[in-house]
């Protein structure tokens, strides 16, 4: 009996030592698992956003490849590159007459787009205009002020800053209000720490550490399942089906998961929204924050970077038909609380609401003395048209075709802004 117990103990100890050795080898030989809690773009973004004083910039020479099959027409894999100076590719290779810095969230970053397709890069013009993309997912105006401060401290100067943050600013105004604070310069650091104490340290405490051996095993199994599910590529227009059983890539699966079944909720008009999350109440909240923040932001861009400010509204695509999206309709619907529970706002009301929110953003910018351009308004005929899904792969993020339109519409406004700087 004693020999059997000793044998069991020996086997158990061998297994423990083997797993420990494997973990050491995996951590030395392999990078963090893509999409896992201790690595990937997503975790880097979370880590940065949890740090109120950190610039919203990726590390120099950072690179990662995403599988985006099915996201939009022609999508297979896409490489995300960051240059040596921490700007998103394509970073200008030579000096130009004017330097333009783009600050924004994932729309500006160009999420899931090839380097050459991102709209800030498309606006570069040889020796005349050099464009620098400092966008980052989840970043808003106040976090991008930290970026500008960092760039200033290392000696960077620009002629113009293009700010496009109305989507993320609205979300941050709401999140700050949820912790009884306001999305303002003087409240930013303390309230952000409170938010992430709640969202990350408390709710995700059990996920803060993972064994890389197990993580890689789970990841490879997940990839195998996804590859098998994608063996037969669905035809374009599959979005006409209400159910999408086989996402062709993890990028598509992730976006569909974000919807959380909300698209199946009953639809109501905007007037039926009566809770604290009423879109109109949230716009009023954001508008007050914009009015308070934009004057200081504008003056700080001038002081820190020597730059004038052009504020641009971000488009959305709630008016497009579901059938226009390539694989599936990955839009997150606009929702609100009603007397009958959580509901989805009717598409026509969602379209008008998003336009109104963009106009409020620009009105606050005009009150602060900044230049403005309503990109959301000029993109509306495309975004909400019968082929809207060809220009956006979800509610707000453009496809390469959409980013090209962004640049086409914005180019005259950019040139006008630079011309006014030249006159002064």
């Amino acid at each position: 009996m004693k020999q059997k117990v000793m044998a069991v103990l020996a086997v158990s100890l061998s297994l423990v030592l083997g797993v420990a050795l494997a973990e050491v080898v995996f951590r030395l030989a392999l990078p963090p698992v893509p999409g896992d809690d201790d690595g990937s773009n997503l975790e880097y973004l979370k880590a940065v956003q949890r740090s109120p004083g950190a610039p919203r910039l990726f590390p120099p020479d950072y690179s990662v490849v995403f599988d985006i099959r099915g996201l939009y027409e022609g999508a297979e894999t896409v490489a995300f590159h960051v240059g040596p100076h921490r700007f998103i590719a394509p970073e200008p290779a030579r000096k130009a007459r004017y330097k333009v810095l783009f600050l924004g969230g994932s729309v500006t970053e160009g999420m899931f787009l090839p380097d050459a397709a991102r709209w800030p890069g498309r606006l570069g013009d040889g020796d005349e205009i050099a464009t620098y993309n400092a966008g980052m997912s989840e970043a808003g105006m106040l976090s991008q002020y930290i970026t500008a401060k960092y760039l200033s401290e290392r000696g960077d100067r620009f002629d113009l800053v293009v700010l496009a943050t109305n989507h993320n600013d609205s979300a941050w105004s709401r999140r700050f209000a949820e912790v009884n604070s306001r999305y303002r310069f003087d409240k930013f650091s303390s309230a952000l720490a409170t938010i992430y104490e709640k969202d990350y340290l408390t709710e995700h405490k059990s996920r803060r550490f993972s064994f890389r051996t197990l993580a890689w095993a789970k990841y490879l199994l997940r990839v195998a399942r996804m590859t098998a599910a994608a063996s037969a590529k669905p035809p374009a227009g599959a979005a006409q089906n209400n159910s999408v059983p086989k996402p062709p890539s993890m990028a598509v699966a992730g976006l569909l998961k974000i919807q959380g079944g909300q698209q199946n909720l009953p639809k109501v008009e905007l007037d039926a929204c009566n809770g604290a999350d009423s879109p109109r109440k949230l716009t009023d909240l954001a508008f007050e924050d914009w009015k308070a923040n934009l004057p200081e932001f504008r003056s700080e861009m001038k002081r820190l970077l020597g730059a004038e400010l052009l504020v641009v509204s971000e488009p959305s695509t709630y008016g497009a038909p579901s059938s226009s999206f390539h694989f599936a309709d990955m839009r997150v619907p606009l929702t609100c609380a009603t007397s009958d529970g959580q509901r989805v706002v009717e598409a026509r009301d969602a379209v008008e609401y998003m336009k109104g929110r963009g106009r409020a953003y620009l009105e606050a910018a005009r009150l602060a003395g900044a230049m403005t351009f309503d990109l959301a308004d000029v993109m509306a005929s495309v975004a909400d048209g019968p082929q809207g899904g060809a220009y956006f792969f979800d509610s707000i993020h453009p496809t390469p075709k959409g980013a090209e339109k962004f640049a086409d519409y914005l180019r005259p406004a950019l040139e006008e802004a630079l011309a006014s700087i030249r006159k002064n």
Side-chain angles (χ1 to χ4, degrees):
M1 181 67 180
K2 186 177 180 180
Q3 290 179 336
K4 290 183 178 180
V5 172
M6 293 301 294
V8 171
L9 289 174
V11 171
S12 300
L13 181 60
S14 297
L15 288 173
V16 171
L17 291 174
V19 170
L21 179 61
E23 180 66 15
V24 171
V25 171
F26 268 68
R27 286 192 173 268
L28 290 174
L30 292 175
V33 174
D36 198 54
D37 278 340
D38 61 354
S40 82
N41 256 25
L42 179 60
E43 178 55 21
Y44 182 79
L45 294 175
K46 289 179 179 178
V48 170
Q49 297 290 2
R50 286 195 300 272
S51 305
R56 273 46 178 175
L57 291 168
F58 291 93
D61 299 312
Y62 180 79
S63 181
V64 65
V65 176
F66 296 105
D67 179 1
I68 59 167
R69 289 169 295 160
L71 196 62
Y72 47 79
E73 186 176 3
E76 293 293 337
T77 61
V78 65
F80 177 82
H81 296 118
V82 176
H85 303 295
R86 304 185 69 176
F87 296 113
I88 297 170
E91 186 174 323
R94 60 181 185 271
K95 293 182 179 179
R97 184 179 184 184
Y98 295 107
K99 293 176 67 177
V100 182
L101 175 67
F102 289 80
L103 298 176
S106 55
V107 174
T108 303
E109 174 192 301
M111 188 171 77
F112 296 141
L113 295 183
D115 291 346
R118 297 187 184 93
W119 58 276
R122 287 178 178 273
L123 290 165
D125 184 15
D127 295 327
E128 185 69 13
I129 302 172
T131 58
Y132 298 81
N133 188 347
M136 176 176 273
S137 295
E138 294 191 13
M141 182 195 311
L142 298 190
S143 54
Q144 288 293 34
Y145 163 73
I146 306 297
T147 301
K149 187 176 179 182
Y150 165 83
L151 295 174
S152 171
E153 289 171 351
R154 75 178 193 185
D156 288 12
R157 294 294 181 269
F158 300 90
D159 298 288
L160 182 69
V161 167
V162 177
L163 180 72
T165 55
N166 60 275
H167 291 324
N168 286 348
D169 281 343
S170 300
W172 283 116
S173 287
R174 175 178 180 173
R175 295 185 74 186
F176 273 55
E178 288 172 351
V179 295
N180 299 313
S181 187
R182 294 301 299 268
Y183 184 59
R184 306 286 172 87
F185 273 91
D186 60 338
K187 306 288 186 183
F188 181 68
S189 294
S190 59
L192 194 63
T194 301
I195 288 170
Y196 280 103
E197 174 72 27
K198 171 180 176 291
D199 289 358
Y200 186 78
L201 296 180
T202 302
E203 296 179 9
H204 299 94
K205 187 175 182 179
S206 63
R207 299 172 58 194
R208 286 165 58 194
F209 178 80
S210 63
F211 287 101
R212 194 163 296 183
T213 310
L214 179 60
W216 267 101
K218 291 167 61 178
Y219 171 70
L220 293 173
L221 181 61
R222 187 164 71 245
V223 169
R225 287 200 301 263
M226 295 298 293
T227 301
S231 57
K233 186 176 179 179
Q240 299 177 41
N241 301 324
N242 291 326
S243 61
V244 186
K246 294 181 178 181
S249 66
M250 281 185 280
V252 171
L255 289 171
L256 291 173
K257 185 178 180 180
I258 291 173
Q259 293 176 352
Q262 291 177 328
Q263 286 189 332
N264 297 323
L265 291 172
K267 293 179 174 58
V268 296
E269 294 183 352
L270 192 61
D271 290 339
C273 300
N274 55 19
D277 66 343
S278 164
R280 290 195 178 109
K281 289 181 181 179
L282 295 177
T283 293
D284 291 342
L285 180 69
F287 183 57
E288 292 302 316
D289 288 340
W290 285 325
K291 285 198 299 181
N293 292 331
L294 275 162
E296 185 171 353
F297 187 87
R298 182 194 174 208
S299 65
E300 284 295 279
M301 294 306 101
K302 189 67 174 179
R303 182 182 72 86
L304 293 171
L305 303 173
E308 298 297 335
L309 179 63
L310 172 63
V311 180
V312 176
S313 61
E314 298 171 289
S316 60
T317 183
Y318 286 104
S322 291
S323 59
S324 66
F325 290 83
H326 179 62
F327 171 73
D329 186 344
M330 290 175 277
R331 290 175 293 184
V332 177
L334 183 65
T335 61
C336 69
T338 71
S339 301
D340 298 316
Q342 194 78 0
R343 295 292 185 265
V344 169
V345 176
E346 289 278 5
R348 63 178 182 278
D349 282 359
V351 169
E352 291 307 311
Y353 163 72
M354 295 300 284
K355 287 181 182 177
R357 194 174 77 179
R359 287 193 292 267
Y361 179 59
L362 298 184
E363 175 61 20
R366 282 190 286 270
L367 291 173
M371 295 176 283
T372 63
F373 180 70
D374 199 345
L375 181 61
D377 183 64
V378 298
M379 277 290 296
S381 61
V382 171
D384 299 322
Q387 298 301 317
Y391 297 93
F392 294 79
F393 59 79
D394 62 4
S395 313
I396 59 174
H397 296 105
T399 64
K401 189 175 181 180
E404 183 177 10
K405 281 290 186 183
F406 277 29
D408 288 344
Y409 285 128
L410 186 54
R411 187 171 289 106
L414 184 66
E415 292 173 350
E416 183 180 346
L418 292 173
S420 70
I421 292 172
R422 184 166 59 246
K423 288 179 182 178
N424 296 330

